[in-house]
Amino acid sequence: MTDQSATEPLYGAGLWHFGQFRDRYATDGYGPPVSTLEAIDVAGQVGSLSVVDINYPFNPAELDIAAVEDALKANNLRAIALTPEIYTRTFCRGGFTNPDPKVRREAIELVSRAADLTRRLGGDYVKLWPGQDGWDYPFQADYKALWTMSVEAVRELAQRHPDLRFAIEYKPREPRNRMTFSSAARTLLAIEEMDAPNVGILLDFGHSLYGLESPADAAQMIMAKDRLYAIDVNDNFRGWDDDMVVGSIHLVETFEFFHTLTQAGWQGVWQLDQFPFRENSVEAARAGIEVMRTIWRALQILDTGALADAQARQDALAAQRIARAALLGAQRA
């Protein structure tokens, strides 16, 4: 069994969870615009969040960092990271891989400014999600050039801010049809080429599903290289990055994912990246956290010895039976 005295993890969320959502149909948004300070106040209503990942530039862009600090303090929250928006219209042809060197430089400097503010806020890392870096059509780009630009940009940032960690969030596609950092393996290969000790990976559970990875396997691969800096958790139908409530579709794989993290001794924040388009954002956050709490309780009663024996035999039915007993046993009425 897992140690019964284990401490429950901290829970976090991307601040966008509490913002305005849009898609290509509801271009007017599924709710009213939400400022950074308003989103922090809503996040504070959840009651069990400890940290938030904040988009940068703030909304509005001229918002003073002191006001953000005050709002976080008032809501008993900490900024775990800043996510610079290097995926907006300005960078629609790429951030780090833009064909215009001036735009590439603008992306790098935007991240650098975010790094300075992350340091002031006491964040754990700067998150890099270069969603526009990649290509859409065959023959559109020189793949080697895209790869080199991506590697060199992140290396430059890591060397400029050696006291900070940079976490790359990979994803197979969207908004580009093919993204440069598209999988755990490709991102690890890029990090190896960067030769920067302060660059790692944020593993988004939904991106891993969407990329047809096994999230637990991807996590193990990343942890074997000691590069798992953070996680974002959500769910989807594997055909798109739906960002649904944790465990709503792939509950068993989510349990396996957290079991893998726990067995490896990983002790980071269990963080939400959900997009409650039509749901109340506070209730959606509470729902995701309750699923994660159920999983945490299940890990405390999981018969890890019996599971290890079943896995050594590669006995699928026995392993499923053991995992199911813990997961169902942990559910509270």
Side-chain angles (χ1 to χ4, degrees):
M1 300 290 180
T2 304
D3 182 6
Q4 297 289 329
S5 64
T7 302
E8 186 173 357
L10 296 179
Y11 301 106
L15 195 62
W16 50 89
H17 185 291
F18 308 99
Q20 182 190 57
F21 299 104
R22 298 176 181 172
D23 58 27
R24 59 179 177 157
Y25 300 103
T27 56
D28 54 341
Y30 284 86
V34 181
S35 72
T36 297
L37 298 184
E38 289 170 338
I40 292 172
D41 286 340
V42 177
Q45 298 174 25
V46 175
S48 48
L49 287 179
S50 297
V51 302
V52 287
D53 177 352
I54 305 177
N55 304 81
Y56 178 79
F58 304 128
N59 180 22
E62 64 272 13
L63 179 64
D64 187 75
I65 186 67
V68 175
E69 292 175 311
D70 290 343
L72 290 169
K73 184 177 180 180
N75 287 281
N76 198 28
L77 294 169
R78 181 176 73 87
I80 192 172
L82 290 188
T83 296
E85 295 183 341
I86 52 174
Y87 42 80
T88 56
R89 181 169 59 186
T90 298
F91 308 108
C92 67
R93 298 184 66 199
F96 299 152
T97 64
N98 198 288
D100 185 341
K102 292 182 180 178
V103 178
R104 292 201 302 273
R105 177 51 48 188
E106 185 176 350
I108 291 170
E109 295 307 321
L110 175 59
V111 175
S112 188
R113 291 194 297 274
D116 289 335
L117 293 177
T118 300
R119 186 182 295 108
R120 171 165 171 174
L121 290 171
D124 294 354
Y125 57 90
V126 180
K127 189 177 78 178
L128 302 179
W129 184 64
Q132 298 284 9
D133 285 352
W135 63 95
D136 302 308
Y137 290 90
F139 285 103
Q140 179 178 0
D142 179 334
Y143 302 126
K144 182 178 180 180
L146 296 182
W147 181 264
T148 298
M149 286 187 284
S150 293
V151 168
E152 289 182 348
V154 178
R155 181 193 291 127
E156 176 184 335
L157 286 161
Q159 291 177 345
R160 191 189 299 190
H161 301 276
D163 59 316
L164 293 175
R165 298 198 299 175
F166 293 83
I168 300 172
E169 180 179 8
Y170 68 86
K171 185 178 181 180
R173 58 170 300 197
E174 192 209 12
R176 295 312 287 259
N177 287 336
R178 293 290 183 270
M179 286 176 57
T180 304
F181 296 135
S182 58
S183 67
R186 279 179 63 91
T187 309
L188 283 171
L189 186 63
I191 291 171
E192 181 179 357
E193 191 170 325
M194 290 169 200
D195 192 27
N198 55 329
V199 179
I201 290 176
L202 182 147
L203 196 167
D204 184 301
F205 185 87
H207 293 180
S208 187
L209 288 176
Y210 181 29
L212 303 183
E213 296 177 336
S214 166
D217 174 61
Q220 183 59 54
M221 186 190 321
I222 299 166
M223 289 188 295
K225 299 294 186 181
D226 196 26
R227 297 289 182 166
L228 185 60
Y229 287 0
I231 60 171
D232 276 350
V233 195
N234 45 51
D235 212 335
N236 62 53
F237 285 99
R238 263 197 165 95
W240 196 251
D241 184 31
D242 302 304
D243 286 323
M244 299 165 69
V245 170
V246 176
S248 52
I249 309 295
H250 296 96
L251 181 59
V252 174
E253 283 187 271
T254 307
F255 185 29
E256 181 192 33
F257 175 70
F258 282 113
H259 167 66
T260 301
L261 297 179
T262 302
Q263 288 297 104
W266 192 83
Q267 297 181 338
V269 174
W270 293 19
Q271 189 155 285
L272 298 172
D273 181 12
Q274 302 176 157
F275 274 49
F277 283 90
R278 301 167 185 83
E279 294 74 38
N280 178 276
S281 63
V282 171
E283 291 305 313
R286 290 172 177 167
I289 290 171
E290 180 51 37
V291 172
M292 291 193 289
R293 280 195 160 129
T294 299
I295 288 174
W296 181 79
R297 293 193 297 267
L299 290 171
Q300 309 317 301
I301 62 175
L302 178 67
D303 191 336
T304 54
L307 179 60
D309 288 342
Q311 291 178 330
R313 302 190 307 274
Q314 299 184 25
D315 188 335
L317 298 182
Q320 287 276 302
R321 197 161 49 241
I322 294 162
R324 186 168 58 248
L327 194 54
L328 295 179
Q331 180 65 54
R332 293 177 177 171

